[in-house]
Amino acid sequence: MTRRFRPDVDAPIYKGRYYPYDILKEGTIALVVVSLLVVVCATLFGSPDEPAVTLKQWSTAQPLDFASTALAELDGSSGVAGYGPPYNHNADGQQIGPLTLAKWMGVHIPVNAAEDFVLLPLTTLPDEPTLSAGLQEWAAASDAQRTTWLNAYAKGTMTFSAGVIYDTATGDGPVGLFITDLTSMARTGALDADLIAGRGYYTTDYTKPLLFLADGQWFGQLATAQHLGGEQWGMMNEEGNYPGQAWLWLYTMWYQVPPYNSSWSANADAMVWATMMVLTAILALLPFIPGLRSVPRWTRVYRLIWREHYRDEAQRNAAVKDPPSA
Amino acid sequence: MKGEHVAALYALFGALVPLTSPGHYIQWHWIQISVANVVVIFLMIVTFIAALLLPFPGRRRRRGDDK
Amino acid sequence: MSASEIDRQWTTRLRKGLAHHLPAEKLLPDTQPSYVSSWIYVFGVATLASMIVVIGTGCILAIMGPQWWHQSSVGHYVNSLHLWSVEVFFFSMVVHLWGKFFMAAWRGKRQLVWITGVVTFLASVTTAFTGYVSQTNFDSQWISTQAKDGINATGAGAFFNVLNTGQMLMWHILLLPLAAVVLTVLHVLLVRYRGVVPPFELTATDEVHAS
């Protein structure tokens, strides 16, 4: 039975010589060389380890940014408050055309920004009768009343002095008290402890404190100063002069170019992921894609790789055609 | 004494040329890349080309066997 | 039990199949075709070697616990070894991938070798990523809060929460390395089964005997 030979799909049957090749020895040598290389790089360059930042550091370094973020969590205008799935139902999440993947998966990590980041932590502060009264007032108030308070507070001017947040607002109900007390609480480190250990003594889940942290300006400023921002190809970068996840270059690149950063920007993450999935499928299925699978043959790099084989073959063919006279 | 011991250990395991100083970046239009990543990518390309061009050892000996 | 009954056993069939398709001479060959003569061939083995160093240094970090490397200079050094072995690992794997692409190493029923290689690369990228987000430092705080949007956009964020450090650590030190190792073993076994891809023929051949 014969069929057409497809040079980019079929391989010729090799009938040439075999030579001794000790793969185990090769592997051992590779292991030794790689280990040495790793030891040399680690000894010379080390590795980065910038300590984690805390809400305490944030509220100490930029109390006004912290307080504004706290207000945004309370009035529902923060990134997380309006995020949508998997955190809440306040938006539909990103979509790829008609595909609302995040919405279909649903809310699995419930986050109520106002409750989780502001009101619940405040209830843990002991011996604060004014605050307790304020929290009761808030709980009893209608949504309209709360909105009135929040709008009134936002109209005032926020200042910070002697370790306390002040606001010139009037008619803001308990909102000013909440923001002032939460900022003071954060500055003692108590908010870190509460958000981290909120669900018990042991924890390995940092979702809430990280989401709160990421809603402020300060955290992003720290990262941008280190070239780690999203618009700085941050995903593939690393602190200091260390190489980062350079293999993410293509993924990171889409975020820098239109339409991903222009008309698609609202769904940029979803579109970048969709693009990468398609490209990954192309890479995996390359052997089946006519044209692409011929690139190796057309580029002729293989002639360099197997140049000794082809030289030997040419010599052998020459010898067959023109046998040495006996 | 214990402090000295710890300091000696730290000196032994601390990096000789730590890359912790502020990073260097190359900016060309919308392309921005850290020098460290450029070095890694450049070395990969150089290694690839070198692997194609450099003669593989043992081949001469095998040719000798062949005769 | 009759002989035919024994022959029908799953165990017997598996043993015979393995012995037929992957005899010891194929699994641990002592010779290679003469065309296997280029430095480009060492990068597969270099990737395997660096994977061993990655796993070895990772095991030390696992033995001592996730916070050890922040507090101990020895721990930090082991972390440096782990980081640089990952750099060497990806370095070798990418050069290996380029080499295999330009050889069109999927030829001759080797498509699955190529596919397992690509999938191993993806598993490795994900493993590395979960490592970055379980470092418990500023880097992991920033990378996880940045990456959450991409993963949430795919819907995967519902069960793969990059902000849940404990979950990410489990993926990093158990599930994904397991996947990467299993895929690598499959990839290597397929290479041994099919053999190293022969060179393109220079003379045009239109017919091949399908065996």
Side-chain angles (χ1 to χ4, degrees):
Chain A
M1 192 181 112
T2 58
R3 61 181 164 78
R4 215 172 151 261
F5 183 86
R6 295 164 300 170
D8 304 312
V9 177
D10 303 314
I13 292 156
Y14 181 70
K15 294 181 188 125
R17 288 188 175 79
Y18 283 72
Y19 289 102
Y21 198 108
D22 196 343
I23 55 170
L24 214 55
K25 190 171 165 188
E26 185 196 22
T28 309
I29 293 171
L31 187 60
V32 171
V33 170
V34 165
S35 303
L36 282 175
L37 190 62
V38 168
V39 166
V40 166
C41 287
T43 310
L44 278 179
F45 307 128
S47 52
D49 185 19
E50 202 145 300
V53 293
T54 58
L55 302 177
K56 180 183 179 179
Q57 286 172 335
W58 174 22
S59 53
T60 305
Q62 293 189 6
L64 288 175
D65 178 44
F66 177 87
S68 313
T69 309
L71 178 64
E73 304 295 3
L74 190 62
D75 71 15
S77 64
S78 75
V80 171
Y83 196 93
Y87 307 128
N88 47 51
H89 295 286
N90 303 339
D92 283 349
Q94 294 192 18
Q95 51 196 75
I96 308 164
L99 312 178
T100 50
L101 299 175
K103 193 181 174 188
W104 292 342
M105 292 302 292
V107 176
H108 285 261
I109 308 157
V111 178
N112 180 331
E115 287 287 328
D116 292 335
F117 296 152
V118 183
L119 300 169
L120 286 176
L122 287 175
T123 61
T124 65
L125 290 178
D127 306 324
E128 295 267 5
T130 324
L131 178 62
S132 299
L135 286 166
Q136 277 167 19
E137 193 184 359
W138 178 271
S142 65
D143 281 348
Q145 175 65 68
R146 289 176 184 172
T147 309
T148 310
W149 286 336
L150 288 163
N151 288 341
Y153 185 80
K155 282 202 187 91
T157 308
M158 203 187 268
T159 53
F160 176 79
S161 75
V164 180
I165 293 282
Y166 296 96
D167 195 281
T168 55
T170 49
D172 59 340
V175 173
L177 187 65
F178 292 167
I179 301 302
T180 301
D181 280 5
L182 193 77
T183 309
S184 301
M185 181 185 179
R187 288 164 63 85
T188 66
L191 186 59
D192 285 293
D194 182 67
L195 287 181
I196 292 168
R199 284 192 282 180
Y201 181 84
Y202 285 108
T203 183
T204 55
D205 184 356
Y206 294 82
T207 304
K208 284 177 185 171
L210 282 173
L211 284 176
F212 195 176
L213 193 61
D215 268 343
Q217 303 284 320
W218 179 71
F219 189 46
Q221 287 163 7
L222 293 181
T224 307
Q226 299 239 40
H227 280 87
L228 302 175
E231 276 136 42
Q232 301 169 304
W233 298 66
M235 259 292 156
M236 61 185 283
N237 294 341
E238 181 54 277
E239 293 158 3
N241 279 302
Y242 288 95
Q245 300 183 77
W247 45 88
L248 295 182
W249 70 272
L250 190 59
Y251 171 74
T252 314
M253 188 196 78
W254 299 117
Y255 285 96
Q256 323 298 327
V257 295
Y260 299 90
N261 67 353
S262 55
S263 53
W264 288 355
S265 63
N267 294 304
D269 293 295
M271 298 313 288
V272 168
W273 268 84
T275 308
M276 286 308 288
M277 289 298 109
V278 171
L279 292 176
T280 303
I282 291 176
L283 179 67
L285 301 176
L286 202 77
F288 304 100
I289 303 173
L292 278 181
R293 66 184 177 194
S294 304
V295 172
R297 193 160 46 90
W298 295 336
T299 51
R300 293 180 158 220
V301 175
Y302 70 89
R303 293 227 183 182
L304 265 176
I305 297 172
W306 291 310
R307 61 187 180 280
E308 294 190 1
H309 166 78
Y310 293 132
R311 206 180 299 147
D312 291 355
E313 217 177 34
Q315 279 170 5
R316 217 170 12 249
N317 288 346
V320 171
K321 272 188 200 156
D322 188 16
S325 50
Chain B
M1 188 64 203
K2 201 185 171 207
E4 276 171 35
H5 182 66
V6 170
L9 249 185
Y10 190 81
L12 191 62
F13 287 100
L16 298 177
V17 201
L19 303 177
T20 44
S21 56
H24 298 287
Y25 283 80
I26 298 167
Q27 176 98 46
W28 186 73
H29 297 285
W30 53 273
I31 295 173
Q32 188 180 102
I33 187 163
S34 74
V35 171
N37 279 345
V38 168
V39 168
V40 169
I41 293 166
F42 175 75
L43 283 177
M44 277 194 314
I45 296 169
V46 167
T47 306
F48 179 68
I49 294 172
L52 296 186
L53 295 180
L54 291 179
F56 192 65
R59 183 67 182 171
R60 202 167 293 153
R61 178 178 51 78
R62 281 184 211 162
R63 272 216 191 120
D65 292 346
D66 202 20
K67 278 175 188 167
Chain C
M1 198 182 246
S2 69
S4 63
E5 217 176 323
I6 287 180
D7 284 343
R8 281 200 301 274
Q9 279 193 87
W10 294 2
T11 317
T12 317
R13 284 189 199 171
L14 177 68
R15 189 191 64 229
K16 286 190 174 167
L18 280 179
H20 176 69
H21 291 295
L22 272 175
E25 295 76 28
K26 262 193 178 179
L27 266 181
L28 288 171
D30 39 28
T31 60
Q32 286 296 333
S34 67
Y35 56 79
V36 181
S37 172
S38 166
W39 279 106
I40 201 67
Y41 283 105
V42 306
F43 287 93
V45 133
T47 312
L48 278 178
S50 29
M51 191 184 211
I52 292 172
V53 182
V54 171
I55 292 174
T57 52
C59 283
I60 302 175
L61 292 171
I63 289 167
M64 299 305 290
Q67 306 272 344
W68 172 59
W69 73 283
H70 299 306
Q71 293 133 14
S72 148
S73 53
V74 180
H76 194 138
Y77 185 72
V78 176
N79 179 74
S80 305
L81 292 174
H82 194 59
L83 169 72
W84 287 102
S85 57
V86 170
E87 290 289 339
V88 177
F89 173 72
F90 278 103
F91 190 105
S92 319
M93 186 152 42
V94 170
V95 176
H96 175 64
L97 179 115
W98 291 346
K100 292 300 153 186
F101 172 75
F102 284 110
M103 294 183 204
W106 52 76
R107 290 172 298 130
K109 297 180 182 167
R110 290 173 180 81
Q111 288 94 343
L112 207 51
V113 182
W114 175 267
I115 293 171
T116 51
V118 171
V119 178
T120 311
F121 177 66
L122 294 180
S124 306
V125 169
T126 319
T127 313
F129 167 75
T130 53
Y132 274 89
V133 298
S134 24
Q135 289 178 88
T136 62
N137 59 14
F138 178 75
D139 222 15
S140 56
Q141 285 181 309
W142 178 251
I143 295 173
S144 57
T145 49
Q146 285 288 292
K148 73 174 194 303
D149 301 324
I151 290 161
N152 289 341
T154 66
F159 55 89
F160 187 84
N161 179 8
V162 291
L163 305 177
N164 185 339
T165 313
Q167 187 192 12
M168 287 303 108
L169 189 64
M170 294 296 181
W171 278 86
H172 180 62
I173 68 173
L174 177 72
L175 301 170
L176 288 165
L178 190 67
V181 167
V182 167
L183 284 163
T184 306
V185 167
L186 260 173
H187 182 70
V188 171
L189 285 180
L190 280 167
V191 172
R192 295 289 15 114
Y193 172 50
R194 292 285 179 202
V196 183
V197 72
F200 283 109
E201 264 178 349
L202 292 187
T203 47
T205 313
D206 285 331
E207 300 272 309
V208 67
H209 295 279
S211 47

